[in-house]
Amino acid sequence: HFTNKNADLSPDKVDHMMMGLIYENLIRKTNDLTKKKAGQYFTPRDVIDLMIHVLLSPHKELLKDSSLVRSIYDPAVGTGGMLYMASNYIKDELKSKITLNSYGQDNLPFSYAICKSEMILRGLNPDNIKFGNSLTKKDQFSDYKFRYIVSNPPYGTNWKGFATDIKEEADLGEKGRYFVDLPGQGDG
């Protein structure tokens, strides 16, 4: 369908939201055919919308103060949907002019690249998107603190490939991030 010269996918015909839905549908269908978990690659827009409302609605009066600077982080950012939907909620629904600094990282090269591109297209700072694994020593934001954190981690994804880093972190005890316990290697 996309190679059909009659299919007009220009921004004046297909807005960002619709293009996102097309993208999600393609990923879902492709992963259904290959038996991969589509949830590893995207979170449906209605789920993100609910998450953003649950996270930010209790603060909506405070978020109308234009002098505020807030940060939001997604440690499994994928293509950035949660970050730009949070930004849209603040700007469009709350009509707020606060500064919302969005941060994220992903360890899948194609998701990372798409996210940086999305940030540029949406007027957000692409330099705040890093390539790395938030579960390991490659976490690019381990020393940062954020006001809000939102994520849909890839549950059920096997972490055997970086188990050494995670176990070293767990061995740090209370000085590390995994001092309580670790899930099985097949359970993200």
Side-chain angles (χ1 to χ4, degrees):
H1 293 298
F2 294 112
T3 59
N4 180 342
K5 294 188 192 290
N6 295 326
D8 184 358
L9 298 175
S10 64
D12 55 315
K13 297 287 181 187
V14 181
D15 65 12
H16 287 295
M17 186 60 122
M18 182 56 70
M19 189 56 78
L21 293 172
I22 291 169
Y23 170 75
E24 287 177 4
N25 196 39
L26 286 171
I27 287 179
R28 184 183 55 78
K29 284 183 179 272
T30 302
N31 288 317
D32 284 350
L33 294 173
T34 62
K35 305 292 187 234
K36 289 185 179 180
K37 297 173 186 164
Q40 182 177 350
Y41 299 102
F42 79 98
T43 305
R45 300 277 175 219
D46 53 346
V47 172
I48 297 172
D49 189 54
L50 176 63
M51 291 170 69
I52 297 302
H53 276 80
V54 168
L55 180 67
L56 299 177
S57 289
H59 307 264
K60 63 182 169 185
E61 290 307 313
L62 177 67
L63 292 171
K64 290 180 180 179
D65 178 353
S66 62
S67 67
L68 281 179
V69 176
R70 291 289 184 251
S71 59
I72 187 166
Y73 172 58
D74 185 344
V77 74
T79 59
M82 292 186 192
L83 296 179
Y84 59 75
M85 285 186 72
S87 178
N88 288 349
Y89 172 79
I90 288 173
K91 287 178 189 169
D92 299 338
E93 280 196 47
L94 298 182
K95 308 289 187 223
S96 176
K97 298 195 185 314
I98 72 161
T99 300
L100 180 67
N101 295 315
S102 300
Y103 298 84
Q105 70 179 318
D106 207 280
N107 68 337
L108 297 175
F110 67 91
S111 296
Y112 162 75
I114 291 171
C115 184
K116 284 194 77 99
S117 299
E118 281 289 336
M119 296 300 115
I120 292 168
L121 291 171
R122 295 175 185 280
L124 301 172
N125 188 350
D127 294 335
N128 292 346
I129 306 302
K130 305 291 184 187
F131 183 74
N133 187 331
S134 60
L135 299 176
T136 69
K137 291 184 244 180
K138 295 180 177 103
D139 181 358
Q140 302 294 311
F141 295 104
S142 61
D143 294 331
Y144 285 63
K145 293 188 186 295
F146 302 98
R147 176 66 64 171
Y148 301 107
I149 297 178
V150 63
S151 186
N152 183 12
Y155 294 108
T157 300
N158 193 315
W159 52 274
K160 183 179 179 181
F162 35 91
T164 302
D165 285 348
I166 290 174
K167 288 178 181 175
E168 284 176 9
E169 180 82 19
D171 289 342
L172 295 173
E174 290 190 25
K175 293 180 181 168
R177 292 182 281 179
Y178 308 115
F179 64 91
V180 175
D181 201 3
L182 292 174
Q185 286 186 6
D187 182 5

